[in-house]
């Protein structure tokens, strides 16, 4: 190992969720969309925004298209990258309602959504997701949850209630660098662990965790 504290990649050693070379292989094959979407992706990487990346963005798009979603709810807009993938899966009369906590970030997201050509389908709500959810009416065909991880347990029930039967609840970062499977007891880890366990036990839902990037949960609503 280098003596100056620099990290060193050893092929075959897991970084957290999947092997580094597998993660890079998946990302290398991912569809990155058109020039406008690629620009938003580069902005996210350059400025350190927590965007989902091309592979997961494609995954969200495929899920929304596969159930012919017309109305989607997103918790955690960020700079509008995942929102573009979702909005592009909707028909012309479809709607994406997305919630962003920070007003300045919401302004940036709106600009990016205009650049990627989906702004007319998107409604941005600014404020705390838990508070705003109480005023948001369902049903939604798909809900994508990607807010601050400590808030996951509080939004689970409102999300399920606002999801139609046959709809999908998709949640990002559910493996949290692998910490959910270890003894880590940070606030975020415990919150995600509680969220995953409650979702797995809920008789209304059928859930599976996909080890893509930082872990993506996909849950189908079976009944009210």
């Amino acid at each position: 190992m280098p003596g100056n504290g620099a990290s060193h990649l050893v092929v075959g050693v897991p970084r957290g969720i999947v092997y580094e070379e597998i993660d890079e292989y998946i990302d290398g094959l991912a569809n990155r969309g058109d020039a406008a979407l690629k620009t938003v992706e580069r902005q996210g990487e350059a400025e350190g925004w927590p965007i989902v990346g091309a592979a997961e963005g494609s995954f969200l798009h495929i899920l929304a298209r596969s159930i012919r979603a017309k109305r989607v709810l997103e918790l955690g807009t960020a700079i509008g990258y995942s929102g573009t993938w979702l909005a592009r899966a909707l028909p012309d009369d479809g709607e994406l309602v997305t919630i962003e906590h920070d007003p300045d970030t919401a302004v940036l997201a709106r600009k990016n959504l205009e650049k990627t050509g989906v702004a007319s389908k998107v409604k941005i709500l600014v404020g705390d997701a838990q508070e705003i959810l109480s005023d948001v009416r369902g049903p939604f065909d798909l809900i994508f949850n990607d807010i601050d991880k400590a808030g996951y347990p509080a939004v689970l029930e409102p999300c399920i209630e606002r999801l139609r039967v046959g709809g999908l609840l998709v949640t990002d970062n559910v493996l949290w660098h692998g910490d959910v499977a270890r003894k880590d007891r940070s606030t975020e880890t415990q919150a995600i662990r509680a969220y995953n366990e409650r979702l797995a036990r809920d008789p209304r839902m059928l859930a599976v965790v996909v080890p893509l990037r930082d872990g993506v949960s996909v849950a189908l609503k079976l009944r009210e």
Side-chain angles (χ1 to χ4, degrees), residues 160 163-166 202-206 220-224:
I160 294 175
L163 191 66
R164 70 164 170 86
V165 173
D202 195 304
R204 298 167 294 179
M205 308 295 290
L206 176 62
L220 171 69
K221 186 169 182 178
L222 301 172
R223 60 183 69 90
E224 292 291 354

Side-chain angles (χ1 to χ4, degrees), residues 9 48 122 173:
L9 172 63
V122 183
N173 305 111

Side-chain angles (χ1 to χ4, degrees), residues 3-4 12 30 33 45 53-54 69 75 88 101 103 148-150 197 204 223:
N4 61 0
E45 294 172 347
L75 309 184
R88 286 184 172 181
H101 185 270
D148 289 341
K149 311 315 158 190
E197 292 171 359
R204 298 167 294 179
R223 60 183 69 90

Side-chain angles (χ1 to χ4, degrees), residues 105-127:
T105 303
V107 171
L108 180 57
R110 171 58 64 183
K111 292 179 180 178
N112 282 333
L113 293 167
E114 291 172 353
K115 291 177 183 176
T116 58
V118 297
S120 62
K121 298 180 185 178
V122 183
K123 179 179 182 181
I124 301 178
L125 304 178
V126 180

Side-chain angles (χ1 to χ4, degrees), residues 50-69:
I51 62 172
V52 298
E56 189 175 340
S58 299
F59 187 50
L60 292 172
H61 185 91
I62 290 168
L63 291 174
R65 286 280 293 270
S66 68
I67 62 170
R68 298 181 180 179

Side-chain angles (χ1 to χ4, degrees), residues 83-94:
T84 294
W85 278 107
L86 288 166
R88 286 184 172 181
L90 302 176
D92 291 340
D93 60 345

Side-chain angles (χ1 to χ4, degrees), residues 62-84:
I62 290 168
L63 291 174
R65 286 280 293 270
S66 68
I67 62 170
R68 298 181 180 179
K70 291 189 66 175
R71 194 161 187 252
V72 173
L73 174 65
E74 178 184 44
L75 309 184
T77 313
I79 61 172
Y81 182 77
S82 54
T84 294

